Amino acid sequence: MIAQKEDVGALRTFQQSFPTPNGAFDLAYHEQRWEDMMRQTGVEMTKKTVRNESL
């Protein structure tokens, strides 16, 4: 996936065309927008997501 490769520019472009809660969460995480990340609803919690959220 795009977020796993840490290509934030590609993630941002993809998210603009095909917005998803997980994409918004990952983008906020990579841009260090912690409040936006925590406010995001509808995120499918995976082991990686839970690990990121606990930081």
Side-chain angles (χ1 to χ4, degrees):
M1 304 300 277
I2 294 171
Q4 292 172 343
K5 294 179 184 176
E6 297 191 26
D7 186 349
V8 178
L11 176 59
R12 187 178 298 111
T13 300
F14 186 85
Q15 181 66 12
Q16 288 173 345
S17 297
F18 306 100
T20 66
N22 281 66
F25 180 92
D26 288 344
L27 192 56
Y29 173 80
H30 286 288
E31 293 177 345
Q32 299 181 358
R33 293 183 288 113
W34 312 125
E35 290 181 16
D36 291 342
M37 184 185 80
M38 297 308 293
R39 273 194 232 117
Q40 186 62 44
T41 60
V43 176
E44 181 182 327
M45 299 304 279
T46 64
K47 288 182 181 181
K48 181 181 180 207
T49 305
V50 171
R51 186 175 62 241
N52 286 345
E53 191 172 273
S54 67
L55 294 176

